[in-house]
Amino acid sequence: FNERIHSGEVAQFENLIRASFGKNVVRGYFDCPVEAVLLEEHYHGAAVLAQGPHTLYLDKLAVHPDKQSRGLARQLFNAALRKAGEKLFWRASIQNPINIFYFRVCHRFERVGEWNLFARGMDDGEWRQAREFVKARPGTLMPVPEAEPAPA
């Protein structure tokens, strides 16, 4: 996996997010500090890691719908976990279908408002800080704007 996203790859990354989630990343998403972007070479999948309290935070795990159920999410997750030194936390919307996978790979789980909070390798103090981090972190996806009506 490539570990950085270059300015010329932003549109491909945004297309992957739109295809995976049916949403766009919020404006300014790429202005926030990112530790690593693990990109599958053909833009079929990506994992975005940001710095959280004491460890890395998995901000996005996206796989193009045409490539789902082929193990790519697991490969990206494992690469993110290795990059984080086996200590990682992440959140997912309670409606996110990948929660099934996340429940299988997490060591800890808690519902925090509209989010499911998951973690691997964290002690109780780190878990409390992760919970506060998730509560304070704004959403990073927004609806895709409706297409404007065609002129008459």
Side-chain angles (χ1 to χ4, degrees):
F1 299 111
N2 297 326
E3 288 207 17
R4 292 280 168 219
I5 189 164
H6 304 286
S7 59
E9 298 170 314
V10 169
Q12 290 165 301
F13 178 83
E14 289 175 333
N15 289 337
L16 170 63
I17 296 299
R18 192 174 306 111
S20 299
F21 294 99
K23 296 181 178 183
N24 289 332
V25 291
V26 295
R27 284 180 180 75
Y29 180 76
F30 296 102
D31 298 334
C32 298
V34 170
E35 287 296 314
V37 177
L38 307 176
L39 265 176
E40 191 273 336
E41 64 181 325
H42 302 292
Y43 305 95
H44 295 147
V48 178
L49 293 162
Q51 185 60 54
H54 297 291
T55 190
L56 292 180
Y57 167 70
L58 179 62
D59 188 63
K60 293 278 171 282
L61 180 64
V63 174
H64 193 280
D66 293 344
K67 302 299 178 185
Q68 291 176 0
S69 301
R70 298 181 185 185
L72 183 54
R74 163 100 40 202
Q75 290 173 16
L76 285 162
F77 179 82
N78 288 341
L81 190 58
R82 282 190 304 276
K83 181 82 175 162
E86 303 299 318
K87 188 183 290 193
L88 183 68
F89 72 104
W90 63 99
R91 71 179 183 191
S93 165
I94 58 174
Q95 297 92 10
N96 192 330
I98 200 172
N99 282 326
I100 295 166
F101 168 74
Y102 288 154
F103 282 116
R104 287 196 305 256
V105 298
C106 76
H107 294 159
R108 295 184 95 151
F109 158 78
E110 182 179 329
R111 176 116 180 240
V112 179
E114 64 186 282
W115 304 105
N116 286 331
L117 172 61
F118 301 94
R120 295 271 303 240
M122 298 181 83
D123 65 31
D124 290 344
E126 293 164 334
W127 178 252
R128 283 189 295 277
Q129 290 181 339
R131 185 182 320 116
E132 294 308 312
F133 179 88
V134 165
K135 284 180 184 177
R137 190 167 178 87
T140 55
L141 296 174
M142 63 182 187
V144 175
E146 300 251 349
E148 292 184 36

